[in-house]
Amino acid sequence: MKPFSQFFIFLVIVLATSYIDAFTRNDFPEDFLFGAATSAYQWEGAADEDGRTPSVWDTFSHSYDTGNGDVACDGYHQYKEDVKLMADMGLEAFRFSISWTRLIPNGRGPINPKGLLFYKNLIKELRSHGIEPHVTLYHYDLPQSLEDEYGGWINRKIIEDFTAFADVCFREFGDDVKLWTTINEATIFAIASYGEGLTPPGHCSPNKFINCSTGNSSTEPYLAAHNMLLAHASASKLYRLKYKSKQRGSIGLSIFAFGLSPYTNSKDDEIATQRAKDFLFGWMLKPLVFGDYPSEMKRTLGSRLPVFSEEESEQVKGSSDFVGIIHYTTFYVTNRASASNFPIMNQGFFKDMGVYMISTGNSSLFEWEATPWGLEGVLEHLKQSYNNPPIYILENGKPMKHDSMLQDTPRVEYIQGYIGAVLNAIKNGSDTRGYFVWSMIDVYELLSGYTTSFGMYYVNFSDPGRKRSPKLSASWYSGFLNGTIDVSSQDTIQLQRKFSGSSSF
Ligand code: NOJ
């Protein structure tokens, strides 16, 4: 690297760190969990090995030219090496998901012994290295057979099938898994998969941006979300009745949470921001905490918003022991009707929400501005409006071009800024209990395939062996976790200077 760019990065770190209050791992509660995450389709590969069958994500990725998860990081074969990397790094927890079609290839019915063995081995490996597993049951990968049979999440039949899948997972893995997330980022999953056609199974109404083979953007997101809440509640009820007293774990739902802040200090923008919060957070959190949808949504959507029966409302209310938060960036909100500077967000849910969202950063979907104050705002809002629920930040991280340098200084700055925000929130009374970097290693990305990545380990996807190399962020996180890095001191700068890009810890 040229001396000038080295000096520039050095200067950026000096400036960035001088704005952060000093903190270390020890400033967080001892039982707070610091981890990193991946998901099955994005990490495992081995897509048609040992009895696994296609999920809607296989089908979706094979219909676009952004690559696919057939091999991904080859985690299915290299899990032991990856757990070793995690342990060397000092990771306290690892969040991963279970591929439904690896475990139950037909979506319901017989268990695949090889799939079962893989997850048992992975969990055992994690435990033997003192790493806490955090398991997500559903991460965009519905069995294709269930999509074909009845349309997946838009049909109530999913509730029974999802609960039966969860039952197998609790029974088989529950002695060693204490943290369960039922559905990954359920809010944006419903929007992007059933309204925008952006993520699997890719449903949307006909529009000029994306060609979906099926869908109705004005009804399906609400229907899918309703069934997700019911499926989550049903799995949670089962866990509490059948497993909790013995296994002593917790079960939660995760939502995607943008930071939201009024564009101006006008009353109008304040009201618009509250409306955005009702739509983006309240849609799932109001039912989970209070048993029904926000009245603002009921008013706007009328008969397009499904209704909970009294019994369902009782079952959904209180069904989450914690709230999982997926957070990346912040938007300013203003009271201009139904649009955004992302054209893709101008139909379905975002149109219904009826506010204008302005990115705090570059207007590309992949250039997310680090706005730690936005996360602090989310945590404060949840504390005040939803009875201060226990929270896990299940994803936070920075996308960069996949082949950019191993010296990922912007990612280090991003992560340390957000960890600082979590600490501030805790000091202000938020019951946040864990923080997971997305992602542990470069994976097959949901929106961008192999072109951008978030990993703390670089993966060479052209190498048949999928060689891993630590980035600066891996060294930084490791130093932070083992207490050799104090965030606001000169330590980060020292680390950056010493980083050769090839070292282990
Ligand atoms: C959202 C999803 O949970 C994950 O699959 C995705 O790769 C990351 N966040 C980044 O977009």
Side-chain angles (χ1 to χ4, degrees), residues 463-476:
D463 168 22
R466 299 296 193 268
K467 186 174 181 316
R468 282 85 159 118
S469 316
K471 302 183 193 176
L472 180 70
S473 50
S475 308
W476 181 85

Side-chain angles (χ1 to χ4, degrees), residues 39 42 57 95 139-140 184-185 188 256 326 328 368 395 438 443-447 454:
S39 85
Q42 298 177 272
W57 203 342
R95 172 180 179 242
H139 199 117
Y140 287 100
N184 177 58
E185 57 180 9
I188 209 80
F256 187 91
I326 313 280
Y328 289 96
W368 293 330
E395 283 184 30
W438 182 271
V443 296
Y444 170 64
E445 267 307 324
L446 178 62
L447 296 171
F454 296 65

